[in-house]
Amino acid sequence: MTILTTQRLRLEPFNDSHLAGLNAVNRDPEVMRYITGKPETLENTAAAIARVKKRWAEWGFSWWSFIELETEEIIGSGAIQYLGGNTANPLEIAWRLRQDKWRQGLASEAARRMAAFAFETVGGDSLCAVCHQENAGSARVMQRLGMQFQGIERWYDMDTSVYAMTRSDWESGHGQA
């Protein structure tokens, strides 16, 4: 399991010690508004950690907790995973942050590091991201990363905006600024 770092964050693969911090993020209705539409219970978070630990063992990548270096607090999470959890699908990048950390560039910072991992370590040829059609903040992060809008597709039980980029997009410098 790979730990990643950025200027302000340490990205640690989910582990049992992250339960309280992850649940604090995921039980916030505003954080979950465009993801599942409802706050996550402690049991949901524990089940997610167990599922993610298995994916790390199977795939060599999955979800990280975003730990702010300055405070050592979990302020969000993000992933490189197969879209919809199906290995036949392309790699997906995803993220979420605690409300008090929105609009500070942290999602973009983490996304750049995770994208580098997807292309340079995992060896993906492309990377996609999906978001609720009304989630303008997440769409802006996708665009800053260098992803292009592909259209509307049904993922995770909702019609989502789909963004994507190729390895050559990444290598030509998109999203690395």
mmCIF file of all heavy atoms in Angstrom, residues 106-144:
data_model
loop_
_atom_site.group_PDB
_atom_site.id
_atom_site.type_symbol
_atom_site.label_atom_id
_atom_site.label_comp_id
_atom_site.label_asym_id
_atom_site.label_seq_id
_atom_site.Cartn_x
_atom_site.Cartn_y
_atom_site.Cartn_z
ATOM 1 N N LEU A 106 -7.033 22.208 -2.073
ATOM 2 C CA LEU A 106 -6.588 20.911 -1.559
ATOM 3 C C LEU A 106 -7.056 19.748 -2.427
ATOM 4 O O LEU A 106 -6.307 18.788 -2.626
ATOM 5 C CB LEU A 106 -7.060 20.727 -0.113
ATOM 6 C CG LEU A 106 -6.352 21.641 0.894
ATOM 7 C CD1 LEU A 106 -7.169 21.769 2.178
ATOM 8 C CD2 LEU A 106 -4.945 21.139 1.192
ATOM 9 N N ALA A 107 -8.264 19.820 -2.955
ATOM 10 C CA ALA A 107 -8.748 18.745 -3.832
ATOM 11 C C ALA A 107 -7.896 18.681 -5.093
ATOM 12 O O ALA A 107 -7.500 17.593 -5.530
ATOM 13 C CB ALA A 107 -10.227 18.941 -4.178
ATOM 14 N N SER A 108 -7.568 19.836 -5.670
ATOM 15 C CA SER A 108 -6.723 19.861 -6.867
ATOM 16 C C SER A 108 -5.328 19.333 -6.553
ATOM 17 O O SER A 108 -4.739 18.587 -7.346
ATOM 18 C CB SER A 108 -6.633 21.280 -7.431
ATOM 19 O OG SER A 108 -7.891 21.686 -7.938
ATOM 20 N N GLU A 109 -4.797 19.703 -5.419
ATOM 21 C CA GLU A 109 -3.462 19.250 -5.012
ATOM 22 C C GLU A 109 -3.433 17.724 -4.880
ATOM 23 O O GLU A 109 -2.538 17.054 -5.399
ATOM 24 C CB GLU A 109 -3.120 19.922 -3.677
ATOM 25 C CG GLU A 109 -1.744 19.664 -3.152
ATOM 26 C CD GLU A 109 -1.477 20.473 -1.882
ATOM 27 O OE1 GLU A 109 -1.823 21.680 -1.837
ATOM 28 O OE2 GLU A 109 -0.922 19.891 -0.926
ATOM 29 N N ALA A 110 -4.424 17.175 -4.199
ATOM 30 C CA ALA A 110 -4.501 15.721 -4.034
ATOM 31 C C ALA A 110 -4.770 15.033 -5.375
ATOM 32 O O ALA A 110 -4.179 13.988 -5.669
ATOM 33 C CB ALA A 110 -5.594 15.366 -3.025
ATOM 34 N N ALA A 111 -5.641 15.628 -6.180
ATOM 35 C CA ALA A 111 -5.984 15.018 -7.472
ATOM 36 C C ALA A 111 -4.758 14.940 -8.382
ATOM 37 O O ALA A 111 -4.553 13.924 -9.056
ATOM 38 C CB ALA A 111 -7.108 15.803 -8.151
ATOM 39 N N ARG A 112 -3.943 15.979 -8.410
ATOM 40 C CA ARG A 112 -2.723 15.943 -9.229
ATOM 41 C C ARG A 112 -1.806 14.801 -8.797
ATOM 42 O O ARG A 112 -1.263 14.084 -9.626
ATOM 43 C CB ARG A 112 -1.967 17.282 -9.151
ATOM 44 C CG ARG A 112 -2.558 18.353 -10.037
ATOM 45 C CD ARG A 112 -1.645 19.575 -10.136
ATOM 46 N NE ARG A 112 -1.373 20.200 -8.858
ATOM 47 C CZ ARG A 112 -2.169 21.094 -8.277
ATOM 48 N NH1 ARG A 112 -3.301 21.465 -8.856
ATOM 49 N NH2 ARG A 112 -1.839 21.626 -7.124
ATOM 50 N N ARG A 113 -1.667 14.610 -7.498
ATOM 51 C CA ARG A 113 -0.780 13.558 -6.991
ATOM 52 C C ARG A 113 -1.362 12.178 -7.299
ATOM 53 O O ARG A 113 -0.628 11.253 -7.673
ATOM 54 C CB ARG A 113 -0.545 13.743 -5.485
ATOM 55 C CG ARG A 113 0.453 12.759 -4.920
ATOM 56 C CD ARG A 113 1.842 12.954 -5.545
ATOM 57 N NE ARG A 113 2.749 11.903 -5.152
ATOM 58 C CZ ARG A 113 2.978 10.791 -5.865
ATOM 59 N NH1 ARG A 113 2.372 10.589 -7.027
ATOM 60 N NH2 ARG A 113 3.818 9.880 -5.428
ATOM 61 N N MET A 114 -2.682 12.020 -7.129
ATOM 62 C CA MET A 114 -3.311 10.724 -7.423
ATOM 63 C C MET A 114 -3.259 10.424 -8.912
ATOM 64 O O MET A 114 -3.041 9.274 -9.313
ATOM 65 C CB MET A 114 -4.749 10.701 -6.896
ATOM 66 C CG MET A 114 -4.845 10.701 -5.389
ATOM 67 S SD MET A 114 -6.539 10.481 -4.756
ATOM 68 C CE MET A 114 -7.378 11.919 -5.426
ATOM 69 N N ALA A 115 -3.446 11.448 -9.764
ATOM 70 C CA ALA A 115 -3.362 11.241 -11.214
ATOM 71 C C ALA A 115 -1.952 10.800 -11.602
ATOM 72 O O ALA A 115 -1.778 9.885 -12.419
ATOM 73 C CB ALA A 115 -3.763 12.507 -11.962
ATOM 74 N N ALA A 116 -0.949 11.425 -11.008
ATOM 75 C CA ALA A 116 0.433 11.016 -11.283
ATOM 76 C C ALA A 116 0.632 9.552 -10.908
ATOM 77 O O ALA A 116 1.243 8.783 -11.658
ATOM 78 C CB ALA A 116 1.413 11.907 -10.513
ATOM 79 N N PHE A 117 0.096 9.150 -9.781
ATOM 80 C CA PHE A 117 0.185 7.749 -9.357
ATOM 81 C C PHE A 117 -0.512 6.838 -10.377
ATOM 82 O O PHE A 117 0.023 5.789 -10.757
ATOM 83 C CB PHE A 117 -0.453 7.604 -7.966
ATOM 84 C CG PHE A 117 -0.497 6.192 -7.449
ATOM 85 C CD1 PHE A 117 0.611 5.632 -6.817
ATOM 86 C CD2 PHE A 117 -1.647 5.427 -7.573
ATOM 87 C CE1 PHE A 117 0.563 4.333 -6.323
ATOM 88 C CE2 PHE A 117 -1.698 4.131 -7.096
ATOM 89 C CZ PHE A 117 -0.587 3.577 -6.469
ATOM 90 N N ALA A 118 -1.695 7.245 -10.841
ATOM 91 C CA ALA A 118 -2.457 6.423 -11.794
ATOM 92 C C ALA A 118 -1.687 6.218 -13.091
ATOM 93 O O ALA A 118 -1.634 5.105 -13.625
ATOM 94 C CB ALA A 118 -3.812 7.060 -12.082
ATOM 95 N N PHE A 119 -1.086 7.271 -13.609
ATOM 96 C CA PHE A 119 -0.375 7.172 -14.884
ATOM 97 C C PHE A 119 1.036 6.600 -14.729
ATOM 98 O O PHE A 119 1.462 5.772 -15.530
ATOM 99 C CB PHE A 119 -0.324 8.535 -15.583
ATOM 100 C CG PHE A 119 -1.653 8.980 -16.129
ATOM 101 C CD1 PHE A 119 -2.244 10.151 -15.690
ATOM 102 C CD2 PHE A 119 -2.314 8.223 -17.090
ATOM 103 C CE1 PHE A 119 -3.477 10.566 -16.203
ATOM 104 C CE2 PHE A 119 -3.543 8.629 -17.599
ATOM 105 C CZ PHE A 119 -4.115 9.800 -17.155
ATOM 106 N N GLU A 120 1.751 7.045 -13.704
ATOM 107 C CA GLU A 120 3.166 6.710 -13.596
ATOM 108 C C GLU A 120 3.435 5.425 -12.824
ATOM 109 O O GLU A 120 4.422 4.741 -13.093
ATOM 110 C CB GLU A 120 3.913 7.884 -12.965
ATOM 111 C CG GLU A 120 3.808 9.146 -13.821
ATOM 112 C CD GLU A 120 4.173 10.427 -13.091
ATOM 113 O OE1 GLU A 120 4.762 10.353 -11.986
ATOM 114 O OE2 GLU A 120 3.861 11.511 -13.626
ATOM 115 N N THR A 121 2.588 5.073 -11.864
ATOM 116 C CA THR A 121 2.807 3.872 -11.059
ATOM 117 C C THR A 121 1.887 2.740 -11.492
ATOM 118 O O THR A 121 2.351 1.631 -11.758
ATOM 119 C CB THR A 121 2.611 4.181 -9.558
ATOM 120 O OG1 THR A 121 3.504 5.234 -9.191
ATOM 121 C CG2 THR A 121 2.893 2.961 -8.696
ATOM 122 N N VAL A 122 0.583 3.014 -11.571
ATOM 123 C CA VAL A 122 -0.372 1.984 -12.000
ATOM 124 C C VAL A 122 -0.198 1.693 -13.490
ATOM 125 O O VAL A 122 -0.382 0.565 -13.939
ATOM 126 C CB VAL A 122 -1.825 2.398 -11.670
ATOM 127 C CG1 VAL A 122 -2.830 1.379 -12.187
ATOM 128 C CG2 VAL A 122 -1.993 2.582 -10.161
ATOM 129 N N GLY A 123 0.164 2.730 -14.258
ATOM 130 C CA GLY A 123 0.371 2.539 -15.692
ATOM 131 C C GLY A 123 -0.895 2.640 -16.513
ATOM 132 O O GLY A 123 -0.969 2.094 -17.616
ATOM 133 N N GLY A 124 -1.889 3.366 -15.997
ATOM 134 C CA GLY A 124 -3.139 3.538 -16.735
ATOM 135 C C GLY A 124 -2.937 4.313 -18.028
ATOM 136 O O GLY A 124 -2.067 5.172 -18.117
ATOM 137 N N ASP A 125 -3.747 3.987 -19.024
ATOM 138 C CA ASP A 125 -3.710 4.706 -20.307
ATOM 139 C C ASP A 125 -4.668 5.883 -20.317
ATOM 140 O O ASP A 125 -4.538 6.791 -21.128
ATOM 141 C CB ASP A 125 -4.060 3.767 -21.460
ATOM 142 C CG ASP A 125 -2.974 2.730 -21.688
ATOM 143 O OD1 ASP A 125 -1.780 3.076 -21.539
ATOM 144 O OD2 ASP A 125 -3.316 1.584 -21.992
ATOM 145 N N SER A 126 -5.675 5.833 -19.432
ATOM 146 C CA SER A 126 -6.638 6.922 -19.334
ATOM 147 C C SER A 126 -7.151 6.987 -17.906
ATOM 148 O O SER A 126 -6.974 6.050 -17.121
ATOM 149 C CB SER A 126 -7.802 6.720 -20.308
ATOM 150 O OG SER A 126 -8.543 5.573 -19.951
ATOM 151 N N LEU A 127 -7.783 8.091 -17.603
ATOM 152 C CA LEU A 127 -8.323 8.325 -16.270
ATOM 153 C C LEU A 127 -9.627 9.077 -16.442
ATOM 154 O O LEU A 127 -9.695 10.034 -17.218
ATOM 155 C CB LEU A 127 -7.322 9.154 -15.460
ATOM 156 C CG LEU A 127 -7.551 9.336 -13.976
ATOM 157 C CD1 LEU A 127 -7.604 8.000 -13.243
ATOM 158 C CD2 LEU A 127 -6.441 10.215 -13.394
ATOM 159 N N CYS A 128 -10.661 8.635 -15.750
ATOM 160 C CA CYS A 128 -11.941 9.337 -15.823
ATOM 161 C C CYS A 128 -12.367 9.776 -14.437
ATOM 162 O O CYS A 128 -11.808 9.340 -13.430
ATOM 163 C CB CYS A 128 -13.009 8.459 -16.469
ATOM 164 S SG CYS A 128 -13.557 7.100 -15.438
ATOM 165 N N ALA A 129 -13.349 10.646 -14.401
ATOM 166 C CA ALA A 129 -13.957 11.100 -13.157
ATOM 167 C C ALA A 129 -15.422 11.366 -13.445
ATOM 168 O O ALA A 129 -15.779 11.769 -14.557
ATOM 169 C CB ALA A 129 -13.281 12.366 -12.645
ATOM 170 N N VAL A 130 -16.249 11.118 -12.452
ATOM 171 C CA VAL A 130 -17.675 11.385 -12.599
ATOM 172 C C VAL A 130 -18.143 12.232 -11.420
ATOM 173 O O VAL A 130 -17.591 12.143 -10.325
ATOM 174 C CB VAL A 130 -18.512 10.078 -12.678
ATOM 175 C CG1 VAL A 130 -18.067 9.237 -13.858
ATOM 176 C CG2 VAL A 130 -18.449 9.272 -11.398
ATOM 177 N N CYS A 131 -19.140 13.060 -11.679
ATOM 178 C CA CYS A 131 -19.729 13.837 -10.593
ATOM 179 C C CYS A 131 -21.192 14.113 -10.912
ATOM 180 O O CYS A 131 -21.612 14.091 -12.069
ATOM 181 C CB CYS A 131 -18.971 15.138 -10.338
ATOM 182 S SG CYS A 131 -19.037 16.375 -11.649
ATOM 183 N N HIS A 132 -21.953 14.356 -9.858
ATOM 184 C CA HIS A 132 -23.336 14.792 -9.985
ATOM 185 C C HIS A 132 -23.342 16.018 -10.889
ATOM 186 O O HIS A 132 -22.453 16.876 -10.797
ATOM 187 C CB HIS A 132 -23.868 15.123 -8.592
ATOM 188 C CG HIS A 132 -25.326 15.387 -8.531
ATOM 189 N ND1 HIS A 132 -25.880 16.556 -9.002
ATOM 190 C CD2 HIS A 132 -26.343 14.639 -8.056
ATOM 191 C CE1 HIS A 132 -27.185 16.520 -8.798
ATOM 192 N NE2 HIS A 132 -27.498 15.364 -8.236
ATOM 193 N N GLN A 133 -24.334 16.125 -11.749
ATOM 194 C CA GLN A 133 -24.363 17.214 -12.721
ATOM 195 C C GLN A 133 -24.389 18.603 -12.085
ATOM 196 O O GLN A 133 -23.983 19.577 -12.718
ATOM 197 C CB GLN A 133 -25.566 17.046 -13.648
ATOM 198 C CG GLN A 133 -25.452 15.810 -14.526
ATOM 199 C CD GLN A 133 -26.688 15.616 -15.369
ATOM 200 O OE1 GLN A 133 -26.964 16.430 -16.248
ATOM 201 N NE2 GLN A 133 -27.437 14.555 -15.111
ATOM 202 N N GLU A 134 -24.835 18.708 -10.843
ATOM 203 C CA GLU A 134 -24.895 20.007 -10.169
ATOM 204 C C GLU A 134 -23.650 20.300 -9.334
ATOM 205 O O GLU A 134 -23.547 21.363 -8.732
ATOM 206 C CB GLU A 134 -26.139 20.073 -9.282
ATOM 207 C CG GLU A 134 -27.430 20.018 -10.077
ATOM 208 C CD GLU A 134 -28.673 19.959 -9.190
ATOM 209 O OE1 GLU A 134 -28.569 20.188 -7.963
ATOM 210 O OE2 GLU A 134 -29.751 19.674 -9.730
ATOM 211 N N ASN A 135 -22.702 19.376 -9.295
ATOM 212 C CA ASN A 135 -21.513 19.551 -8.462
ATOM 213 C C ASN A 135 -20.432 20.336 -9.218
ATOM 214 O O ASN A 135 -19.452 19.786 -9.704
ATOM 215 C CB ASN A 135 -20.984 18.185 -8.007
ATOM 216 C CG ASN A 135 -19.927 18.297 -6.938
ATOM 217 O OD1 ASN A 135 -19.355 19.361 -6.733
ATOM 218 N ND2 ASN A 135 -19.656 17.193 -6.271
ATOM 219 N N ALA A 136 -20.634 21.643 -9.280
ATOM 220 C CA ALA A 136 -19.735 22.514 -10.037
ATOM 221 C C ALA A 136 -18.330 22.534 -9.454
ATOM 222 O O ALA A 136 -17.353 22.610 -10.198
ATOM 223 C CB ALA A 136 -20.307 23.931 -10.073
ATOM 224 N N GLY A 137 -18.199 22.430 -8.138
ATOM 225 C CA GLY A 137 -16.876 22.448 -7.513
ATOM 226 C C GLY A 137 -16.030 21.268 -7.950
ATOM 227 O O GLY A 137 -14.856 21.417 -8.304
ATOM 228 N N SER A 138 -16.617 20.097 -7.948
ATOM 229 C CA SER A 138 -15.880 18.904 -8.365
ATOM 230 C C SER A 138 -15.549 18.970 -9.855
ATOM 231 O O SER A 138 -14.444 18.609 -10.271
ATOM 232 C CB SER A 138 -16.689 17.654 -8.039
ATOM 233 O OG SER A 138 -15.841 16.580 -7.735
ATOM 234 N N ALA A 139 -16.477 19.452 -10.652
ATOM 235 C CA ALA A 139 -16.225 19.588 -12.093
ATOM 236 C C ALA A 139 -15.059 20.548 -12.353
ATOM 237 O O ALA A 139 -14.233 20.303 -13.233
ATOM 238 C CB ALA A 139 -17.487 20.066 -12.809
ATOM 239 N N ARG A 140 -14.948 21.613 -11.558
ATOM 240 C CA ARG A 140 -13.831 22.557 -11.712
ATOM 241 C C ARG A 140 -12.494 21.871 -11.411
ATOM 242 O O ARG A 140 -11.503 22.119 -12.091
ATOM 243 C CB ARG A 140 -14.008 23.787 -10.815
ATOM 244 C CG ARG A 140 -14.918 24.837 -11.412
ATOM 245 C CD ARG A 140 -14.856 26.150 -10.656
ATOM 246 N NE ARG A 140 -15.286 26.038 -9.266
ATOM 247 C CZ ARG A 140 -16.551 26.076 -8.858
ATOM 248 N NH1 ARG A 140 -17.521 26.240 -9.744
ATOM 249 N NH2 ARG A 140 -16.847 25.976 -7.588
ATOM 250 N N VAL A 141 -12.466 21.006 -10.398
ATOM 251 C CA VAL A 141 -11.235 20.271 -10.086
ATOM 252 C C VAL A 141 -10.864 19.379 -11.272
ATOM 253 O O VAL A 141 -9.699 19.304 -11.673
ATOM 254 C CB VAL A 141 -11.381 19.461 -8.787
ATOM 255 C CG1 VAL A 141 -10.164 18.567 -8.559
ATOM 256 C CG2 VAL A 141 -11.591 20.379 -7.589
ATOM 257 N N MET A 142 -11.849 18.726 -11.860
ATOM 258 C CA MET A 142 -11.607 17.860 -13.021
ATOM 259 C C MET A 142 -11.022 18.672 -14.172
ATOM 260 O O MET A 142 -10.057 18.248 -14.827
ATOM 261 C CB MET A 142 -12.904 17.172 -13.445
ATOM 262 C CG MET A 142 -13.424 16.191 -12.412
ATOM 263 S SD MET A 142 -15.119 15.644 -12.777
ATOM 264 C CE MET A 142 -15.568 14.889 -11.208
ATOM 265 N N GLN A 143 -11.582 19.843 -14.413
ATOM 266 C CA GLN A 143 -11.094 20.700 -15.493
ATOM 267 C C GLN A 143 -9.682 21.208 -15.203
ATOM 268 O O GLN A 143 -8.833 21.212 -16.097
ATOM 269 C CB GLN A 143 -12.066 21.868 -15.703
ATOM 270 C CG GLN A 143 -13.405 21.412 -16.246
ATOM 271 C CD GLN A 143 -14.513 22.431 -16.041
ATOM 272 O OE1 GLN A 143 -14.295 23.520 -15.509
ATOM 273 N NE2 GLN A 143 -15.723 22.073 -16.447
ATOM 274 N N ARG A 144 -9.409 21.602 -13.956
ATOM 275 C CA ARG A 144 -8.066 22.061 -13.585
ATOM 276 C C ARG A 144 -7.036 20.949 -13.776
ATOM 277 O O ARG A 144 -5.876 21.221 -14.083
ATOM 278 C CB ARG A 144 -8.039 22.519 -12.127
ATOM 279 C CG ARG A 144 -8.457 23.937 -11.945
ATOM 280 C CD ARG A 144 -8.173 24.411 -10.521
ATOM 281 N NE ARG A 144 -9.294 25.206 -10.118
ATOM 282 C CZ ARG A 144 -10.212 24.872 -9.207
ATOM 283 N NH1 ARG A 144 -10.117 23.755 -8.551
ATOM 284 N NH2 ARG A 144 -11.209 25.665 -8.946
#
